[in-house]
Amino acid sequence: MTPVSGFHEGELAVQRRAGVRSEAQRLSPMLERPFLGGGAGRFLADRDLAVLSARDGDGTLWVSPLVGAPGFLDAYGTALRVGVLPRPRDPLEVPLAGGAAGLIAIDFATRRRMRVNGTIEASGPYGFALAVDQAYGNCPQYIQQRRVEHGHEDAGGADAVPEAGVVRGPGAREDRLTEEQAALIGRADTFFLGTAHPERGSDASHRGGPAGFVRVDDDGGLWWPDYPGNNMFNSLGNLAVDPTAAMLFVDFATGDTVQLTGTAAVDWTRSGVPGDDGGTGRRVRFMPRATLSGRVDLWAAEVAPYRLNPPLTA
């Protein structure tokens, strides 16, 4: 994949429709090929949680958690070595060399995050290497603050952490949401979104809001309001070109996860209609084609909601 700087046609189209083209243009230097040294490299090296967006062997897009001791992300220049793999039986258990990948590293405690996009150069039994095309930080908006632990009983006790330390790979695939999955999504305040572009590759991003900001419809589809952000529209721009999408939800009280793959589209409504929590007149609708349930070895006992979360309006 040939690195290309600047916004692609989908991002430009969404920026124009939202009326923020000039604001977004000022941020375009962020999309130039990076050099991962200094503060960026240290931030990645300190992380114990990241999320990967890529396609499986069948070409299906998924979003998967990556959990490891600090140091599992080792970046320098335009290379990122990832020293862990997704869970056993995860759709991305063996990342495909030559495939596009998007990764987001996040620190919920300090409400910092960094996106890294590129191509998987090599994959082995202990991790994979990413040739980086883009890497940039995002603002702390809508990150719910929590201190994530990794199965340590002394951090809350076995009673507070069901099956502490257990990592369960995803089970059988379902073709629609189960009641348990819908309940987890309905109480979530955070999820991760995977999107893709035919030439630019995959991207992983974070979405947050008050618990319940993602709505589950009777037909098993999901939707959430699009909040004001940095006006770059990386995810929505990808969806304007390719509707393929994937989602990952984590219940931080238990470590239970729900992964979904399907299609998504931006629904342009009107500002102020019921459900337009952020006042943008935009929402994203997602229809799953397959879902998976599992568990990761992480949890958080408490959460401090982002102080500017828009209130739910419907």
Side-chain angles (χ1 to χ4, degrees):
M1 199 178 314
T2 302
V4 180
S5 297
F7 295 111
H8 63 63
E9 74 278 20
E11 294 163 333
L12 294 173
V14 177
Q15 292 165 11
R16 283 192 293 265
R17 181 155 186 180
V20 296
R21 179 71 190 96
S22 60
E23 293 90 333
Q25 184 59 35
R26 290 195 290 269
L27 301 178
S28 61
M30 294 172 59
L31 302 178
E32 296 177 359
R33 201 170 194 202
F35 183 88
L36 291 173
R42 289 192 296 272
F43 175 78
L44 292 169
D46 288 343
R47 302 285 59 79
D48 52 12
L49 172 63
V51 171
L52 173 69
S53 172
R55 296 185 186 273
D56 65 13
D58 296 326
T60 302
L61 189 70
W62 292 94
V63 179
S64 301
L66 297 171
V67 179
F72 84 87
L73 295 176
D74 181 14
Y76 185 77
T78 57
L80 175 66
R81 290 186 292 274
V82 182
V84 299
L85 293 170
R87 302 164 288 181
R89 301 190 307 279
D90 190 283
L92 303 181
E93 179 182 4
V94 181
L96 299 177
L103 183 146
I104 183 167
I106 189 163
D107 181 1
F108 285 102
T110 62
R111 297 174 45 239
R112 296 177 64 197
R113 52 187 159 169
M114 186 173 185
R115 290 156 85 158
V116 181
N117 299 336
T119 303
I120 299 171
E121 283 194 318
S123 179
Y126 304 109
F128 59 96
L130 192 69
V132 179
D133 295 330
Q134 295 179 339
Y136 51 91
N138 285 146
C139 67
Q141 288 189 106
Y142 316 120
I143 297 179
Q144 320 309 315
Q145 191 173 45
R146 43 179 41 104
R147 186 167 296 281
V148 176
E149 305 287 347
H150 296 274
H152 303 307
E153 292 189 3
D154 59 355
D159 292 338
V161 189
E163 297 185 81
V166 172
V167 178
R168 186 176 67 231
R173 296 190 186 189
E174 305 285 347
D175 59 7
R176 60 180 291 120
L177 286 176
T178 67
E179 291 185 9
E180 293 79 9
Q181 290 171 338
L184 188 156
I185 292 169
R187 62 178 179 267
D189 60 25
T190 298
F191 74 90
F192 297 92
L193 176 66
T195 60
H197 182 274
E199 283 81 41
R200 299 296 184 91
S202 298
D203 177 76
S205 64
H206 160 279
R207 293 290 187 274
F213 80 109
V214 181
R215 281 71 157 186
V216 180
D217 287 334
D218 292 339
D219 64 358
L222 314 177
W223 67 269
W224 64 92
D226 186 50
Y227 296 160
N230 60 16
N231 297 320
M232 294 171 70
F233 292 116
N234 304 122
S235 299
L236 270 58
N238 284 349
L239 293 177
V241 178
D242 182 348
T244 303
M247 303 175 73
L248 167 68
F249 291 86
V250 179
D251 184 337
F252 289 95
T254 64
D256 289 336
T257 64
V258 176
Q259 291 166 277
L260 308 94
T261 186
T263 56
V266 181
D267 183 7
W268 297 85
T269 59
R270 289 182 297 105
S271 179
V273 301
D276 184 35
D277 305 343
T280 65
R282 299 183 301 270
R283 63 185 63 177
V284 181
R285 294 190 178 274
F286 176 91
M287 180 56 66
R289 291 195 297 108
T291 71
L292 294 166
S293 294
R295 173 168 291 161
V296 289
D297 182 20
L298 57 82
W299 64 284
E302 298 179 351
V303 58
Y306 178 61
R307 63 184 182 85
L308 297 180
N309 278 339
L312 302 179
T313 61

